[in-house]
Amino acid sequence: MHVTVISPEAATFDGPADSVIAPAFDGQVGILPRHAPFMTLLGEGALVVRTEGGERRFHVRGGFLQVVDDTVRVVTEYVEGGSDEV
Amino acid sequence: MAKGQQLKARIRSVRNTRKITRTMELVATSKLKRAQDRVRCARPYAEALAAVIGDLVTPELVERFPLLQQPKPPAQGGPERTAVIMLTSNRGLAGGFNSNLIKMTLARVGELEKAGYTVDVHALGKKGIGYLKYIGRPLATQRVDIGDKPAPHHAAEVMDGLVDAFVAGELAGVDLVFAKFNNPMSTPPTIMHILPVVPPERPAGGTQPDFILRPSADEIAERLLPLYVRNQLFRGLVETVASEHGARRTAMKSATDNAGEIIQYLQRTFNKQRQAQITQEIAEIVGGAASLG
């Protein structure tokens, strides 16, 4: 599935991924490929995007996450990090 | 020879001016590049927000959110005040950039006043503030500290008070006058209606997927609408900065070209004059020798 992480100042991540773990407003939510259309508000915390090459971690605050047509859009007010971790 | 000296001094002065304008052109070009990148980065966010709001908004939702409702005109008991936010740059020497923005603002203010509103002008940027003070128009708020790198929190600071006033029914609307950045050569002043929020149209023919919404649509809209409103202003700020540098580059480029033309003309005049003088001196010598012989 395709994942994009977008903040007002930059598109931080844009590419294919195997799974996403996001901090929703009421706890963590995991998204795997072929998830149903879904929309939720985000709280604050760690956003993990697993790709073939490893794992990317971000710290996000506010905004929302939308899944539609096997595309995940994380639109957040504030994002930091993005370091590769295996 | 006095004339020749004067010409030389003028050539020197125009050369110096050309140096300055050329430097400003180069500076604007490099700033433009960075500002353009920021416009490009801000676009996906704005598009994503707009798309989601378009997906969420239904006629039932509109009834519950004052931000989406058009208040009644003042004749029917609606709010009499309305706000116009004017973005201009802090620095001049950008051709007609600022005066175009100011003209458009005043036109919009005139229109609203004709419709019976009292208009609060919120000015951002030194040039606009200076002009409105000069013509004696009071400003509701003004700030000059945003500069080249507008951040989302700048937009929030300006917008939040206006959103509150709108929700409380004190304001009939908020318009933004900014310079739309089509490309560096085309930066037309543009009016954006920020409040009430006009939900973006869904792309025609696209069916809306049946979303699982967590929490409810209402709660999502409550959080996202203010974000959307702030982002509209943020986008305006970012585009205006890019437009400013584009306009300045164009203005300074033509100033540099004009300076080159003037130098050429002055140099020709100078050469011609020198030649004329030499010719005259030779004629005098020949004439003198002839009279002796």
Side-chain angles (χ1 to χ4, degrees), chain B residues 93-110:
Chain B
L93 290 179
F97 177 75
N98 285 308
S99 61
N100 286 343
L101 285 167
I102 292 166
K103 240 182 263 162
M104 175 135 265
T105 308
L106 292 179
R108 179 70 188 149
V109 167

Side-chain angles (χ1 to χ4, degrees), chain B residues 237-261:
Chain B
L237 286 169
V238 172
E239 292 205 14
T240 304
V241 170
S243 300
E244 176 198 341
H245 292 308
R248 180 165 302 123
R249 192 186 73 175
T250 315
M252 287 301 116
K253 186 169 164 35
S254 62
T256 308
D257 294 350
N258 290 344
E261 267 168 40

Side-chain angles (χ1 to χ4, degrees), chain B residues 133-174:
Chain B
K133 276 204 179 134
Y134 167 70
I135 60 167
R137 184 171 177 99
L139 295 168
T141 60
Q142 46 176 289
R143 50 187 300 182
V144 295
D145 56 337
I146 292 179
D148 266 356
K149 285 184 195 124
H153 70 88
H154 289 130
E157 284 158 25
V158 175
M159 216 49 228
D160 285 356
L162 295 173
V163 170
D164 291 344
F166 182 84
V167 172
E170 290 162 18
L171 282 179
V174 177

